[in-house]
Amino acid sequence: MPVNSLNFSNVVMLKNYLITPATTDANNFDVYQLDHKDSYEITRVITSFNGYKLVNNNGITDDYGGRNDLGIIMKMLVIDNILYVGYESGDLLALNIDFEPPIIITKANDAPSTGKLSAFLKQSKTVINRDPKITLVDHINIHAPNPIISLSHSNNHIIAGSTTNKLSLDHDILKLNNSGIQSILPTHKVLLIGYWNGIIEGYSDNQCVFTNKRQLPRVNILDSNKGNAKQENSLLVKLTFMVSRDKIESKAVSKYSIKQKFTDQELVFVGFEDGTIYVYIVS
């Protein structure tokens, strides 16, 4: 399955369909149907779908910097069978894909038959495949012209972040304390925001309720001209990912799992660029 690997985007599943950046154009996406009755079969049902053309066909005439496209696909997310696609231009499209089943027409031959098998063989069957239909459900351009770099959702509401400090919740805006929103992680207590610079913040009722960061050790540097030591500013360890694990039933925990005392806690796993993974308890 050819996929444009020089792309920031992830891939997503919608029912039994795999959605990936297009093979030849990173601005568009392909859709593959995955069937696994006896063995896996892969069929491309949508080839290089262009979101920019769909937006223009709906009468939206925003200025995209004269480039006549939305840029490459940055992030994708499926919420309640709606595909959200975030672009380099900062546009976020909500798309409904209607995978219409094929039409099967069966006709019986008028010639006389001598038995059930003969009658079955005299039937003719015609299969008419119908192309999927894609419609625009919503268009959010709060982040334009800054690229969408993170997507998440809470209670079926889309949450998006970009290279700026603006967080969009559907069509509403929340301005954060830092820029470069690398990760968005809703928990049962707070909305966790991870930034490129390594800072993690927790928000509740649109207010920042805590801040967490990892700093490299400070180094004392001798100033040869003055003969005294000065302290170099410490750097933050940058963030690479965040993911949560919900509470699990204790009876489902094996002796090889996380210690049983943590099974009734919601855990957040945070990875950093130095290869370490920190585990936090959401309480």
Side-chain angles (χ1 to χ4, degrees):
M1 182 189 303
V3 174
N4 190 337
S5 60
L6 298 177
N7 194 290
F8 292 93
S9 177
N10 55 324
V11 300
V12 293
M13 290 292 299
L14 175 56
K15 300 177 182 177
N16 63 318
Y17 295 90
L18 175 66
I19 304 172
T20 76
T23 302
T24 57
D25 191 343
N27 296 8
N28 305 336
F29 63 81
D30 293 338
V31 180
Y32 297 86
Q33 183 177 9
L34 306 182
D35 290 322
H36 49 87
K37 296 177 182 177
D38 299 322
S39 61
Y40 277 97
E41 295 182 3
I42 301 175
T43 305
R44 183 157 52 185
V45 295
I46 296 176
T47 302
S48 197
F49 179 81
N50 189 314
Y52 175 77
K53 291 182 179 179
L54 179 64
V55 170
N56 276 357
N57 289 339
N58 280 268
I60 300 172
T61 57
D62 288 350
D63 180 15
Y64 299 100
R67 56 191 291 170
N68 293 326
D69 61 43
L70 300 176
I72 66 172
I73 294 175
M74 301 292 291
K75 289 293 178 184
M76 295 190 290
L77 184 66
V78 173
I79 306 174
D80 197 23
N81 292 326
I82 298 296
L83 172 65
Y84 288 85
V85 185
Y87 290 89
E88 183 184 7
S89 63
D91 291 85
L92 178 60
L93 304 185
L95 306 174
N96 179 68
I97 307 179
D98 185 8
F99 298 100
E100 297 187 6
I103 299 174
I104 301 176
I105 302 174
T106 303
K107 291 183 179 180
N109 196 316
D110 294 334
S113 59
T114 57
K116 291 183 178 180
L117 179 60
S118 177
F120 175 78
L121 294 175
K122 290 180 180 296
Q123 290 181 344
S124 63
K125 181 182 292 185
T126 303
V127 178
I128 303 175
N129 291 314
R130 296 186 288 179
D131 292 334
K133 295 181 180 178
I134 301 180
T135 54
L136 182 65
V137 177
D138 199 1
H139 177 205
I140 301 172
N141 60 356
I142 288 172
H143 297 280
N146 303 289
I148 301 289
I149 59 174
S150 53
L151 288 178
S152 187
H153 69 97
S154 179
N155 298 322
N156 289 333
H157 295 288
I158 185 69
I159 308 173
S162 67
T163 54
T164 68
N165 68 336
K166 289 193 299 185
L167 187 77
S168 64
L169 299 92
D170 291 333
H171 287 272
D172 296 324
I173 298 176
L174 175 63
K175 287 195 174 182
L176 308 180
N177 297 323
N178 292 274
S179 298
I181 304 170
Q182 196 264 358
S183 296
I184 304 170
L185 187 61
T187 70
H188 75 283
K189 287 285 188 180
V190 294
L191 177 65
L192 294 178
I193 305 295
Y195 301 95
W196 272 342
N197 60 11
I199 294 176
I200 300 172
E201 292 181 336
Y203 282 80
S204 179
D205 296 327
N206 295 338
Q207 299 294 324
C208 181
V209 293
F210 75 84
T211 300
N212 185 283
K213 56 187 176 183
R214 283 187 61 212
Q215 290 182 312
L216 294 173
R218 293 180 180 271
V219 179
N220 290 329
I221 301 176
L222 182 65
D223 190 337
S224 58
N225 293 328
K226 298 181 180 179
N228 56 359
K230 64 179 181 179
Q231 206 169 51
E232 185 184 59
N233 290 332
S234 62
L235 300 175
L236 297 177
V237 184
K238 293 183 179 179
L239 190 73
T240 56
F241 79 93
M242 292 197 307
V243 65
S244 65
R245 191 221 66 184
D246 293 332
K247 300 177 183 179
I248 56 177
E249 297 292 336
S250 58
K251 63 182 180 181
V253 179
S254 71
K255 62 181 179 180
Y256 303 107
S257 301
I258 297 174
K259 291 183 179 180
Q260 190 164 347
K261 66 179 181 179
F262 295 128
T263 59
D264 60 346
Q265 305 281 350
E266 183 178 7
L267 302 180
V268 173
F269 297 80
V270 181
F272 295 91
E273 67 174 357
D274 61 356
T276 59
I277 299 176
Y278 277 49
V279 183
Y280 299 94
I281 297 175
V282 180
S283 59

